[in-house]
Amino acid sequence: MRNLMLLVEYDGTDYQGFQWQMGRPTIQGELEKALEAVTGQRTRVIGAGRTDAGVHARGQVVSCRSGMALSPDQLRSALNARLPKDIAVKAISPAAEGFHARFAAKSREYRYTIWNSSVRSPLAWRYAFHFSKPLEAEAMHTACCSLIGTHDFASFGSRLWERGTTQRTVYRAECWREGDFVYVEVEANAFLAQMMRGVVGTLIWVGEGRLRPEDFQHILEARDRRLARNLAPPQGLCLTRIVY
Amino acid sequence: MRNLMLLVEYDGTDYQGFQWQMGRPTIQGELEKALEAVTGQRTRVIGAGRTDAGVHARGQVVSCRSGMALSPDQLRSALNARLPKDIAVKAISPAAEGFHARFAAKSREYRYTIWNSSVRSPLAWRYAFHFSKPLEAEAMHTACCSLIGTHDFASFGSRLWERGTTQRTVYRAECWREGDFVYVEVEANAFLAQMMRGVVGTLIWVGEGRLRPEDFQHILEARDRRLARNLAPPQGLCLTRIVY
């Protein structure tokens, strides 16, 4: 048995998220189905990030164990031939014994894309959230800088299991405009469930002028989920990179 | 009755092209249905470019006549509320009496996008043609420069009506690489049916090394459709701009 590391890209529009669910289309389910078809063995995959329903990934990493004799490149081609067109394995490399895609990850990077124009865009709606009122990206950037560092992010997301902590460390947080697009990018050691969407939803209130950047920081410090209930929709979110 | 000019964007994936066809989904059909629902009048729209099935547009222009009292912005909002999410009217402006979106156009610009990587991309497949063998974009650029000027383009496309000419004038033709994407952009006074896809299909042969740039020029000069039978698929093509 070998341990493998797979770099995976997907369009999450038609999936119920990464994690396997009985009878529903998920990224994990499709990857495991393709692995079983190619290798003849039931194979469990572990993803570095558990993306929600409708969220995309350009840099998801999964690990799995396989007894196959195929080279990584042959296995990649065989998997891509079986996977639906909205999921692809971009690269496969051998991983050290005991490598675990989730526990070994040093950080994750997510990018959120907002299409900020009075008119919706038929060419952007799958990968961007359309928000028609003008957003002040500089105020959003000022606000999101207060995320940097080690904080209790309870205002912006939920713990993943009952006894987990809501403390995380954000290494980088940026917001900027390029034409009609506004981007929010955050790199952290790990994310709470729905944390990125909670952050962006509240940043949008700052961008509209409904909150000041200081209010954003107060919401963070309050550690109260009820203060940040504007959850940005999933289609703007993309898991862009995992660092090991 | 007023004459109007509409700037239209669409994702052509699920349509049988711009032009109206009985009982099939087309861009023209959807625009006319929305106009009739909003204005209560049957309205004929004229498009500047007749895009093929599966081809996208970021800058299609259509003209129509309307007796509505709504302001252009109100009409735009009402149309966008009715149109499917893969079609939108980006702007409406009053046009001079007698303005005709097709006849008045001085030039059209198309862009073709190739995803040139050994692995397909789930986030790019709707708007790019996946070509896995490495392409030499510089050779493709050298070849496509021979399109510039007034030529008989019979090798690359068909006349739109029986007595039409196959002579067109290309003002600009460029090919370049950005990472794993290769782009081909051509601006011409007008295009023959399937001309852009015929040009790109033959340029791909140059990029692969199956043809030299000089061979591309000989194919153009031969005015023989049988020499350029590699038609690039529609999903990579986008009508980007109409100049008046």
Side-chain angles (χ1 to χ4, degrees):
Chain A
M1 296 288 274
R2 291 179 303 171
N3 216 0
L4 296 172
M5 176 177 175
L6 285 65
L7 180 67
V8 180
E9 177 176 311
Y10 48 86
D11 176 333
T13 309
D14 297 331
Y15 295 91
Q16 294 296 318
F18 183 83
Q19 199 165 18
W20 190 87
Q21 293 177 52
M22 171 76 80
R24 309 184 79 180
T26 64
I27 308 300
Q28 183 178 4
E30 294 298 326
L31 288 170
E32 293 183 350
K33 205 167 20 171
L35 276 161
E36 183 169 351
V38 169
T39 67
Q41 301 158 340
R42 290 201 63 171
T43 308
R44 181 81 189 284
V45 305
I46 293 156
R50 275 184 262 188
T51 53
D52 290 344
V55 172
H56 316 292
R58 206 156 45 215
Q60 174 72 285
V61 174
V62 310
S63 54
C64 66
R65 296 180 62 75
S66 164
M68 277 290 282
L70 292 182
S71 75
D73 274 4
Q74 288 170 324
L75 179 58
R76 189 196 64 188
S77 298
L79 289 173
N80 284 334
R82 299 242 168 206
L83 285 166
K85 65 185 166 181
D86 42 16
I87 305 177
V89 176
K90 306 195 83 175
I92 300 187
S93 50
E97 205 45 46
F99 171 79
H100 186 288
R102 186 156 72 250
F103 300 148
K106 288 212 181 65
S107 72
R108 284 99 174 142
E109 182 192 84
Y110 279 93
R111 174 183 278 203
Y112 197 94
T113 305
I114 302 165
W115 170 251
N116 186 35
S117 161
S118 57
V119 186
R120 61 188 172 75
S121 166
L123 293 171
W125 72 266
R126 286 181 88 87
Y127 309 115
F129 166 44
H130 174 218
F131 190 82
S132 51
K133 279 178 261 173
L135 290 172
E136 191 53 69
E138 280 178 40
M140 293 167 72
H141 180 68
T142 305
C144 78
C145 286
S146 60
L147 298 169
I148 295 168
T150 301
H151 304 283
D152 183 337
F153 287 98
S155 291
F156 293 119
S158 330
R159 40 172 70 77
L160 291 164
W161 54 93
E162 217 178 317
R163 286 155 171 258
T165 166
T166 46
Q167 188 177 286
R168 297 289 186 274
T169 301
V170 168
Y171 302 119
R172 196 167 57 79
E174 292 177 280
C175 176
W176 73 97
R177 172 181 292 280
E178 288 176 21
D180 285 331
F181 287 103
V182 173
Y183 298 102
V184 180
E185 212 169 80
V186 179
E187 184 185 349
N189 67 336
F191 287 78
L192 300 173
Q194 301 191 320
M195 172 169 152
M196 190 66 187
R197 291 167 58 195
V199 162
V200 172
T202 310
L203 283 177
I204 284 174
W205 280 351
V206 174
E208 279 185 273
R210 290 169 63 173
L211 295 177
R212 295 162 306 160
E214 310 89 90
D215 300 327
F216 182 88
Q217 185 166 357
H218 296 150
I219 289 172
L220 167 63
E221 288 163 357
R223 289 172 285 175
D224 182 348
R225 193 76 205 268
R226 291 167 301 178
L227 299 176
R229 270 184 303 199
N230 190 31
L231 206 64
Q235 72 272 19
L237 190 56
C238 185
L239 171 56
T240 44
R241 201 160 58 105
I242 311 287
V243 179
Y244 290 97
Chain B
M1 295 288 277
R2 292 179 303 168
N3 216 0
L4 295 172
M5 175 178 175
L6 285 65
L7 180 66
V8 181
E9 176 176 313
Y10 47 86
D11 176 333
T13 308
D14 296 331
Y15 294 92
Q16 295 297 318
F18 182 84
Q19 200 165 18
W20 190 87
Q21 293 177 51
M22 171 77 80
R24 308 185 80 180
T26 63
I27 307 300
Q28 182 178 6
E30 295 297 326
L31 288 170
E32 293 182 351
K33 204 166 20 169
L35 276 160
E36 182 168 351
V38 169
T39 66
Q41 302 159 337
R42 291 201 64 171
T43 308
R44 179 82 190 285
V45 305
I46 292 156
R50 275 184 262 188
T51 54
D52 289 345
V55 171
H56 316 294
R58 208 156 46 215
Q60 173 74 284
V61 174
V62 310
S63 55
C64 67
R65 296 180 62 76
S66 164
M68 277 289 282
L70 291 180
S71 76
D73 274 4
Q74 288 170 323
L75 179 58
R76 189 195 65 187
S77 298
L79 289 173
N80 285 333
R82 301 242 166 205
L83 285 165
K85 65 186 166 182
D86 42 16
I87 306 177
V89 176
K90 307 195 83 175
I92 301 187
S93 49
E97 206 44 47
F99 171 78
H100 186 289
R102 186 158 71 251
F103 298 148
K106 288 212 181 65
S107 72
R108 285 98 174 143
E109 180 192 84
Y110 278 94
R111 175 184 277 204
Y112 197 95
T113 304
I114 302 166
W115 170 252
N116 186 33
S117 160
S118 56
V119 186
R120 60 189 171 77
S121 167
L123 293 171
W125 72 265
R126 286 180 88 87
Y127 308 115
F129 166 45
H130 175 218
F131 190 82
S132 52
K133 279 178 258 171
L135 291 172
E136 191 54 69
E138 281 178 40
M140 292 166 73
H141 179 68
T142 304
C144 79
C145 286
S146 58
L147 297 169
I148 296 168
T150 301
H151 304 283
D152 182 338
F153 288 98
S155 290
F156 293 119
S158 328
R159 39 173 71 80
L160 292 164
W161 54 92
E162 216 180 317
R163 284 157 172 258
T165 165
T166 46
Q167 187 177 288
R168 297 289 185 274
T169 301
V170 168
Y171 302 119
R172 196 167 57 78
E174 291 178 280
C175 175
W176 72 97
R177 172 181 291 280
E178 288 177 21
D180 286 330
F181 287 102
V182 173
Y183 299 101
V184 180
E185 213 170 80
V186 179
E187 184 184 350
N189 66 336
F191 287 79
L192 300 174
Q194 303 191 320
M195 172 170 153
M196 190 66 187
R197 293 167 57 195
V199 162
V200 173
T202 309
L203 283 177
I204 284 174
W205 281 352
V206 174
E208 279 185 273
R210 288 168 65 174
L211 294 177
R212 295 163 304 161
E214 310 88 89
D215 300 327
F216 181 88
Q217 185 166 357
H218 296 150
I219 289 171
L220 166 64
E221 288 164 357
R223 290 172 283 173
D224 181 349
R225 191 79 204 267
R226 291 167 301 178
L227 298 177
R229 268 184 304 199
N230 190 33
L231 206 63
Q235 73 271 20
L237 190 57
C238 187
L239 172 56
T240 44
R241 202 160 57 105
I242 311 287
V243 178
Y244 290 96

